[in-house]
Amino acid sequence: MDADINFYFDPVCPFAWMTSKWVRQVQAQRDYTVDWRFISLRLINAHVDYDAHFPPEYEAGHTAGLRLLRVAARARAEHGRAAMAPLYAAFGTHIFDTAPRSDNQRSEVEVRELRGTREFAEPILAEAGLPLELADALDDESWDMEIQQETDEALSLTGKDVGTPIIHFEPPTGVAFFGPVISRLPDEDSAAELWDHVVALARFPGFAELKRSLREQPQLAAFGVDAGTVGTKEDWHGGSRRQKK
């Protein structure tokens, strides 16, 4: 598929979701085409001892992300690339734009594990207009090779010390970059202007990195942060909440 933007996402990454919503704003204003592609945090960290390096809920979350990407890979194979935009939108809406139920007694680990189940996936498939039997792919590791190939493709564009999302603008020869990581969604009037600034910087041949590890919690209902509220700042390491490098 020839697209203006290749957007590599893991469905359980909140910052990828925030950036994707901004990219959709720009897409609507500029009439860009977007190819929604895969990058798996679980596969990127396959060599990592989760217990030693991450908060306790991370392995469950990243594993659920891989399981959902298997469903997405099968959906793309059987229903075409056009199925990815509504499917990713449904993933993100249910994971991040839905506030936790006040009567929810599950631990954070259990909440993240649930995202990799049929109970979670089937209503999302229905919402995206896709057959429920695609959820059979949750346990089908045969899709992992395709997901790994796309993950490797994304990292080949930016280098390996990054997170999600990765954006490739005007592929195959255009610029690629990790992020931008944003915690607030720009308004409609400034969305395209912000995009132009990012692309202009990325296009400078000598540009490599502009970074700060302090991040606000994103303005997402799942975090209890409203659009008009500033989220709590956290110090991230290497693009993640890893406790050690």
Side-chain angles (χ1 to χ4, degrees):
M1 173 181 177
D2 294 326
D4 298 299
I5 298 170
N6 289 342
F7 189 106
Y8 296 84
F9 73 92
D10 187 307
V12 300
C13 176
F15 294 103
W17 176 240
M18 284 294 294
T19 303
S20 77
K21 295 204 289 185
W22 166 51
V23 166
R24 289 177 195 261
Q25 289 178 306
V26 176
Q27 178 185 13
Q29 294 179 25
R30 296 287 175 82
D31 198 29
Y32 288 150
T33 55
V34 180
D35 188 17
W36 302 96
R37 300 190 176 199
F38 310 142
I39 181 170
S40 169
L41 291 167
R42 188 63 186 86
L43 294 179
I44 288 174
N45 292 292
H47 64 289
V48 173
D49 180 346
Y50 271 80
D51 290 338
H53 289 82
F54 284 107
E57 67 275 10
Y58 263 55
E59 185 169 17
H62 288 179
T63 300
L66 175 58
R67 290 167 65 82
L68 293 176
L69 284 174
R70 292 170 183 165
V71 174
R74 179 175 169 183
R76 186 173 68 182
E78 297 183 6
H79 300 275
R81 306 188 88 89
M84 291 302 94
L87 182 57
Y88 182 29
F91 281 151
T93 298
H94 283 262
I95 295 172
F96 298 116
D97 288 343
T98 302
R101 289 174 47 174
S102 59
D103 61 348
N104 181 23
Q105 300 300 312
R106 293 187 174 99
S107 68
E108 185 61 27
V109 171
E110 290 170 331
V111 168
R112 297 192 184 204
E113 286 177 340
L114 178 65
R115 294 170 184 165
T117 65
R118 297 189 76 98
E119 177 186 351
F120 184 80
E122 286 185 347
I124 289 174
L125 289 167
E127 186 175 310
L130 294 166
L132 301 189
E133 58 263 27
L134 293 176
D136 293 344
L138 288 164
D139 299 306
D140 189 350
E141 295 181 3
S142 67
W143 295 105
D144 291 3
M145 181 178 294
E146 180 176 341
I147 298 166
Q148 181 70 67
Q149 288 173 342
E150 227 148 270
T151 297
D152 292 343
E153 175 183 288
L155 296 177
S156 74
L157 297 167
T158 60
K160 295 182 178 180
D161 188 21
V162 296
T164 56
I166 288 174
I167 292 175
H168 192 183
F169 182 49
E170 297 179 337
T173 59
V175 294
F177 43 85
F178 158 53
V181 174
I182 57 173
S183 296
R184 312 178 193 183
L185 193 65
D187 59 40
E188 295 293 335
D189 291 336
S190 60
E193 179 184 10
L194 178 61
W195 174 263
D196 290 339
H197 290 321
V198 169
V199 171
L201 181 60
R203 279 178 170 159
F204 174 63
F207 173 71
E209 183 174 34
L210 178 69
K211 181 178 181 179
R212 57 184 171 208
S213 62
L214 287 176
R215 299 185 185 182
E216 300 170 357
Q217 281 191 312
Q219 292 178 339
L220 297 170
F223 292 90
V225 184
D226 298 327
T229 304
V230 177
T232 303
K233 283 188 176 180
E234 300 174 320
D235 195 357
W236 285 55
H237 306 279
S240 75
R241 290 297 295 151
R242 287 181 64 170
Q243 305 301 295
K244 300 179 183 178
K245 291 187 176 180

